[in-house]
Amino acid sequence: MLRARFRTLCVVSLLALHASLSCQAIPVTWRGEDRAVDTLNGEASVALPVLKAWLPFATEAKCRLVLTDDARVMLVLCETYARRVPKKENNDVEAMLGLVRNACAVTDRIFPPPQGAPPLVVVGIRTADYPKLLAQMVKVDARLQDWANGAGQAVNGFILSDPLIAAWVDDPAGLEEWYPQNELVHRTAQLLIRRRAAQLPTWF
């Protein structure tokens, strides 16, 4: 009996240790390379608090963390966008980074970007993991509890002004035409503008 309990305790301890190490080992993709979060420096250092806040969620939902070259936007992407070959980027992710860069360039003509601001967060999540995302939103900001329990459950994504986080559902049910890249551009542009002008007119 004691031996069995000891084995059980050992298994539980090893699982906890594995989960902890897995969380620490999840890399962030920045400038084409997968890097340990704690090794980021220079322009990317401003993103560290945001990256660390999203690491546990990324681990649980098996998402990737992808930071734009200028560290202005962090993409949290579901397994659909995993790298198929080590050191070779997913073509869709390359295209998305280009679209985000273009969205930044266009909005910067209207609203110059703030200096030293943490990255905006844009999430592409599968339907099955959407409840986990809502739980993560409450961890990010406890004020979102009522929203997460109500309105947040009845949508295929969202765009929030405070905190500046947006998401789309990558595999929404009942829609024949759904273009994740369009969702990415729309949500990124909205966040970029809301950062400088949070109260948008009703016609926007």
Side-chain angles (χ1 to χ4, degrees):
M1 177 68 86
L2 289 175
R3 185 175 297 177
R5 289 181 178 177
F6 178 74
R7 280 201 300 266
T8 300
L9 287 172
C10 287
V11 170
V12 171
S13 298
L14 287 172
L15 288 174
L17 177 61
H18 179 267
S20 176
L21 292 175
S22 297
C23 181
Q24 293 173 9
I26 287 179
V28 56
T29 304
W30 185 50
R31 296 183 174 174
E33 296 183 8
D34 288 340
R35 309 164 188 253
V37 170
D38 289 336
T39 67
L40 295 177
N41 52 32
E43 285 182 272
S45 59
V46 71
L48 284 175
V50 176
L51 287 165
K52 291 179 179 180
W54 283 84
L55 270 175
F57 169 79
T59 302
E60 183 181 8
K62 298 180 180 178
C63 290
R64 290 183 64 186
L65 301 177
V66 182
L67 191 64
T68 56
D69 288 357
D70 56 8
R72 291 177 62 186
V73 179
M74 184 182 76
L75 304 180
V76 183
L77 301 174
C78 62
E79 285 186 293
T80 303
Y81 305 100
R83 281 183 163 172
R84 306 306 177 193
V85 180
K87 297 188 179 299
K88 180 173 174 57
E89 188 53 89
N90 182 301
N91 290 337
D92 287 333
V93 175
E94 286 187 341
M96 286 179 167
L97 289 171
L99 291 170
V100 170
R101 183 168 56 249
N102 292 343
C104 288
V106 171
T107 56
D108 288 351
R109 298 174 189 170
I110 307 170
F111 299 105
Q115 298 299 313
L120 306 170
V121 179
V122 184
V123 185
I125 196 75
R126 289 176 175 172
T127 301
D129 292 318
Y130 190 71
K132 297 176 185 176
L133 176 59
L134 293 179
Q136 168 66 7
M137 296 303 298
V138 176
K139 292 177 182 177
V140 171
D141 192 331
R143 294 174 301 169
L144 296 174
Q145 182 71 67
D146 290 342
W147 170 84
N149 291 338
Q153 298 184 17
V155 295
N156 285 323
F158 53 82
I159 306 171
L160 301 180
S161 298
D162 184 17
L164 283 163
I165 301 173
W168 79 87
V169 174
D170 209 61
D171 57 346
L175 294 181
E176 295 182 3
E177 294 187 4
W178 184 256
Y179 302 102
Q181 293 184 353
N182 290 351
E183 300 301 318
L184 168 68
V185 171
H186 172 65
R187 284 162 168 73
T188 301
Q190 281 265 3
L191 290 181
L192 288 165
I193 294 173
R194 290 186 188 200
R195 166 162 275 172
R196 305 311 299 269
Q199 299 298 320
L200 297 179
T202 56
W203 49 260
F204 188 83

Coordinates of all heavy atoms in Angstrom, one line a residue, residues 8-57:
T8 N 2.4 6.8 -6.8 CA 1.4 7.8 -7.2 C 2.0 9.2 -6.9 O 1.8 10.1 -7.8 CB 0.1 7.6 -6.4 OG1 -0.4 6.3 -6.7 CG2 -0.9 8.6 -6.8
L9 N 2.6 9.4 -5.8 CA 3.1 10.7 -5.5 C 4.2 11.1 -6.5 O 4.4 12.2 -6.9 CB 3.7 10.7 -4.0 CG 2.6 10.8 -2.9 CD1 3.3 10.6 -1.6 CD2 1.8 12.1 -3.0
C10 N 5.0 10.1 -6.8 CA 6.1 10.3 -7.8 C 5.6 10.7 -9.1 O 6.1 11.6 -9.8 CB 7.0 9.0 -7.9 SG 8.0 8.7 -6.4
V11 N 4.5 10.0 -9.6 CA 3.9 10.3 -10.9 C 3.4 11.7 -10.9 O 3.6 12.5 -11.8 CB 2.8 9.3 -11.2 CG1 2.1 9.7 -12.4 CG2 3.5 7.9 -11.5
V12 N 2.6 12.1 -9.8 CA 2.0 13.4 -9.7 C 3.1 14.5 -9.7 O 3.0 15.5 -10.4 CB 1.2 13.5 -8.5 CG1 0.7 15.0 -8.3 CG2 -0.1 12.6 -8.6
S13 N 4.2 14.2 -9.0 CA 5.3 15.2 -8.9 C 6.0 15.4 -10.3 O 6.3 16.5 -10.7 CB 6.3 14.7 -7.9 OG 5.8 14.7 -6.6
L14 N 6.2 14.2 -11.0 CA 6.8 14.3 -12.3 C 5.9 15.0 -13.3 O 6.4 15.8 -14.1 CB 7.1 12.9 -12.8 CG 8.3 12.2 -12.1 CD1 8.3 10.7 -12.5 CD2 9.6 12.9 -12.4
L15 N 4.6 14.8 -13.2 CA 3.7 15.5 -14.1 C 3.7 17.0 -13.9 O 3.7 17.8 -14.8 CB 2.3 15.0 -13.9 CG 2.0 13.6 -14.5 CD1 0.6 13.1 -14.1 CD2 2.2 13.5 -16.0
A16 N 3.7 17.4 -12.6 CA 3.8 18.8 -12.2 C 5.1 19.4 -12.7 O 5.1 20.5 -13.3 CB 3.6 19.0 -10.7
L17 N 6.2 18.7 -12.5 CA 7.5 19.2 -13.0 C 7.5 19.3 -14.5 O 8.0 20.3 -15.1 CB 8.6 18.3 -12.5 CG 10.0 18.6 -13.0 CD1 10.4 20.0 -12.4 CD2 11.0 17.6 -12.5
H18 N 6.9 18.3 -15.2 CA 6.9 18.4 -16.7 C 6.1 19.5 -17.2 O 6.4 20.2 -18.1 CB 6.3 17.1 -17.2 CG 6.2 17.0 -18.7 ND1 5.1 17.4 -19.4 CD2 7.1 16.7 -19.6 CE1 5.3 17.3 -20.7 NE2 6.5 16.8 -20.9
A19 N 4.9 19.8 -16.5 CA 4.1 20.9 -16.9 C 4.8 22.2 -16.7 O 4.8 23.2 -17.5 CB 2.8 20.9 -16.1
S20 N 5.5 22.3 -15.6 CA 6.3 23.6 -15.3 C 7.4 23.8 -16.3 O 7.6 24.9 -16.8 CB 6.9 23.5 -13.9 OG 7.7 24.6 -13.6
L21 N 8.1 22.7 -16.6 CA 9.2 22.8 -17.6 C 8.7 23.1 -19.0 O 9.3 23.8 -19.7 CB 10.0 21.5 -17.6 CG 10.9 21.2 -16.3 CD1 11.5 19.9 -16.4 CD2 11.9 22.3 -16.1
S22 N 7.5 22.5 -19.3 CA 6.9 22.7 -20.6 C 6.6 24.1 -20.8 O 6.8 24.8 -21.9 CB 5.7 21.8 -20.8 OG 6.1 20.5 -20.8
C23 N 6.0 24.7 -19.7 CA 5.6 26.1 -19.8 C 6.8 27.0 -20.0 O 6.8 27.9 -20.8 CB 4.9 26.5 -18.5 SG 4.3 28.2 -18.5
Q24 N 7.9 26.7 -19.3 CA 9.1 27.5 -19.4 C 9.8 27.3 -20.8 O 10.4 28.2 -21.3 CB 10.1 27.1 -18.3 CG 9.6 27.5 -16.9 CD 10.5 26.9 -15.9 OE1 11.6 26.4 -16.1 NE2 10.1 27.0 -14.6
A25 N 9.6 26.1 -21.4 CA 10.3 25.8 -22.6 C 9.6 26.3 -23.9 O 10.2 26.3 -25.0 CB 10.5 24.2 -22.7
I26 N 8.3 26.7 -23.8 CA 7.6 27.2 -24.9 C 8.3 28.4 -25.5 O 8.5 29.4 -24.8 CB 6.2 27.5 -24.6 CG1 5.4 26.3 -24.4 CG2 5.5 28.3 -25.7 CD1 3.9 26.5 -24.0
P27 N 8.7 28.3 -26.8 CA 9.5 29.5 -27.3 C 8.5 30.5 -27.9 O 7.3 30.3 -28.1 CB 10.3 28.8 -28.4 CG 9.4 27.7 -28.9 CD 8.7 27.2 -27.7
V28 N 9.0 31.7 -28.1 CA 8.3 32.7 -28.9 C 9.1 32.9 -30.2 O 10.3 32.9 -30.2 CB 8.3 34.0 -28.1 CG1 9.6 34.5 -27.7 CG2 7.5 35.1 -29.0
T29 N 8.3 32.9 -31.3 CA 9.0 33.2 -32.6 C 9.1 34.7 -32.8 O 8.2 35.4 -32.8 CB 8.1 32.6 -33.7 OG1 7.9 31.2 -33.5 CG2 8.8 32.7 -35.1
W30 N 10.4 35.1 -33.0 CA 10.7 36.5 -33.2 C 11.8 36.6 -34.3 O 12.8 35.9 -34.2 CB 11.1 37.2 -31.9 CG 11.3 38.6 -32.1 CD1 10.5 39.5 -32.6 CD2 12.5 39.4 -31.7 NE1 11.0 40.8 -32.6 CE2 12.2 40.8 -32.0 CE3 13.7 39.0 -31.0 CZ2 13.1 41.8 -31.7 CZ3 14.6 40.0 -30.8 CH2 14.3 41.4 -31.1
R31 N 11.5 37.4 -35.3 CA 12.4 37.6 -36.4 C 12.9 36.2 -37.0 O 14.0 36.0 -37.3 CB 13.6 38.4 -36.0 CG 13.1 39.8 -35.6 CD 14.2 40.8 -35.2 NE 13.7 42.1 -35.0 CZ 14.4 43.1 -34.5 NH1 15.7 42.9 -34.2 NH2 13.9 44.3 -34.4
G32 N 11.9 35.4 -37.2 CA 12.1 34.1 -37.9 C 12.7 33.0 -37.1 O 12.9 31.9 -37.6
E33 N 13.0 33.2 -35.8 CA 13.6 32.2 -35.0 C 12.8 32.0 -33.7 O 12.2 32.9 -33.1 CB 15.0 32.7 -34.5 CG 16.0 32.8 -35.7 CD 17.4 33.2 -35.2 OE1 17.6 33.2 -34.0 OE2 18.3 33.5 -36.0
D34 N 12.8 30.7 -33.3 CA 12.2 30.4 -32.0 C 13.2 30.6 -30.9 O 14.3 30.1 -30.9 CB 11.7 28.9 -32.0 CG 10.5 28.6 -32.9 OD1 9.8 29.6 -33.2 OD2 10.3 27.5 -33.3
R35 N 12.7 31.4 -29.9 CA 13.7 31.8 -28.8 C 13.0 31.6 -27.5 O 11.8 31.7 -27.4 CB 14.0 33.3 -29.0 CG 14.5 33.7 -30.3 CD 14.5 35.2 -30.5 NE 14.7 35.6 -31.9 CZ 15.9 36.2 -32.2 NH1 16.8 36.5 -31.3 NH2 16.1 36.6 -33.5
A36 N 13.8 31.3 -26.5 CA 13.3 31.2 -25.1 C 12.9 32.6 -24.7 O 13.6 33.6 -25.0 CB 14.3 30.6 -24.2
V37 N 11.7 32.7 -24.0 CA 11.2 34.0 -23.7 C 12.2 34.9 -22.9 O 12.4 36.1 -23.2 CB 9.9 33.9 -22.9 CG1 9.5 35.2 -22.3 CG2 8.8 33.3 -23.8
D38 N 12.9 34.2 -22.0 CA 13.8 35.0 -21.1 C 15.1 35.4 -21.8 O 15.9 36.2 -21.3 CB 14.2 34.1 -19.9 CG 13.1 33.9 -18.9 OD1 12.2 34.8 -18.9 OD2 13.1 32.9 -18.2
T39 N 15.3 35.0 -23.1 CA 16.5 35.4 -23.8 C 16.2 36.7 -24.7 O 17.1 37.2 -25.3 CB 17.0 34.3 -24.7 OG1 16.0 34.0 -25.8 CG2 17.3 33.1 -23.9
L40 N 14.9 37.1 -24.8 CA 14.6 38.2 -25.6 C 15.2 39.5 -25.0 O 15.2 39.7 -23.8 CB 13.1 38.4 -25.7 CG 12.3 37.2 -26.4 CD1 10.8 37.5 -26.4 CD2 12.8 37.1 -27.9
N41 N 15.7 40.4 -25.9 CA 16.2 41.6 -25.4 C 16.0 42.7 -26.5 O 15.3 42.4 -27.5 CB 17.7 41.5 -25.1 CG 18.5 40.8 -26.2 OD1 18.1 41.0 -27.4 ND2 19.5 40.1 -25.9
G42 N 16.6 43.8 -26.3 CA 16.4 44.9 -27.3 C 15.0 45.3 -27.4 O 14.3 45.5 -26.4
E43 N 14.5 45.4 -28.7 CA 13.2 45.9 -29.0 C 12.1 44.9 -28.3 O 11.0 45.4 -27.9 CB 12.9 45.9 -30.5 CG 13.5 47.1 -31.2 CD 13.2 47.1 -32.7 OE1 13.9 46.5 -33.4 OE2 12.2 47.7 -33.0
A44 N 12.5 43.7 -28.2 CA 11.5 42.7 -27.8 C 11.3 42.7 -26.3 O 10.4 42.1 -25.7 CB 11.9 41.3 -28.2
S45 N 12.2 43.3 -25.5 CA 12.1 43.3 -24.1 C 10.8 43.9 -23.6 O 10.3 43.6 -22.5 CB 13.3 44.0 -23.4 OG 13.4 45.4 -23.9
V46 N 10.3 44.9 -24.3 CA 9.0 45.5 -23.9 C 7.9 44.5 -23.9 O 6.9 44.7 -23.2 CB 8.7 46.7 -24.8 CG1 8.3 46.2 -26.2 CG2 7.6 47.6 -24.2
A47 N 8.0 43.4 -24.6 CA 7.0 42.4 -24.7 C 7.0 41.4 -23.7 O 6.1 40.6 -23.5 CB 7.0 41.7 -26.1
L48 N 8.1 41.3 -22.8 CA 8.2 40.3 -21.9 C 7.0 40.1 -20.9 O 6.6 38.9 -20.7 CB 9.5 40.5 -21.1 CG 10.8 40.1 -21.9 CD1 12.0 40.5 -21.0 CD2 10.9 38.7 -22.2
P49 N 6.5 41.1 -20.3 CA 5.4 40.9 -19.4 C 4.2 40.3 -20.1 O 3.5 39.4 -19.5 CB 5.1 42.3 -18.9 CG 6.4 43.1 -19.0 CD 7.0 42.5 -20.3
V50 N 3.9 40.7 -21.3 CA 2.8 40.2 -22.0 C 3.0 38.7 -22.4 O 2.1 37.9 -22.3 CB 2.5 41.0 -23.3 CG1 1.4 40.4 -24.1 CG2 2.1 42.5 -22.9
L51 N 4.2 38.4 -22.9 CA 4.5 37.1 -23.3 C 4.4 36.1 -22.1 O 3.8 35.0 -22.2 CB 6.0 37.0 -23.8 CG 6.2 37.6 -25.2 CD1 7.7 37.8 -25.5 CD2 5.6 36.7 -26.3
K52 N 4.9 36.5 -20.9 CA 4.9 35.7 -19.8 C 3.4 35.5 -19.3 O 3.1 34.4 -18.8 CB 5.8 36.2 -18.7 CG 7.2 36.2 -19.0 CD 8.1 36.8 -17.9 CE 9.6 36.6 -18.2 NZ 10.5 37.2 -17.2
A53 N 2.6 36.5 -19.4 CA 1.2 36.4 -19.0 C 0.4 35.4 -19.9 O -0.5 34.8 -19.4 CB 0.5 37.8 -19.1
W54 N 0.9 35.2 -21.1 CA 0.2 34.3 -22.1 C 0.8 32.9 -22.2 O 0.3 32.1 -22.8 CB 0.1 35.0 -23.4 CG -1.0 36.0 -23.5 CD1 -0.9 37.3 -23.1 CD2 -2.4 35.8 -23.9 NE1 -2.1 38.0 -23.2 CE2 -3.0 37.1 -23.7 CE3 -3.1 34.8 -24.4 CZ2 -4.4 37.3 -24.0 CZ3 -4.4 34.9 -24.7 CH2 -5.1 36.2 -24.5
L55 N 2.0 32.7 -21.6 CA 2.6 31.4 -21.7 C 1.8 30.3 -21.1 O 1.7 29.2 -21.8 CB 4.0 31.5 -20.9 CG 5.2 31.9 -21.8 CD1 6.4 32.0 -20.8 CD2 5.5 30.9 -22.9
P56 N 1.2 30.4 -20.0 CA 0.4 29.3 -19.5 C -0.8 28.9 -20.4 O -1.0 27.7 -20.6 CB -0.1 29.7 -18.1 CG 0.9 30.8 -17.7 CD 1.3 31.5 -19.0
F57 N -1.4 29.9 -20.9 CA -2.5 29.7 -21.9 C -2.0 29.0 -23.1 O -2.6 28.0 -23.6 CB -3.2 31.0 -22.2 CG -4.2 30.8 -23.4 CD1 -5.5 30.3 -23.2 CD2 -3.8 31.2 -24.7 CE1 -6.3 30.1 -24.2 CE2 -4.7 31.0 -25.7 CZ -6.0 30.5 -25.5

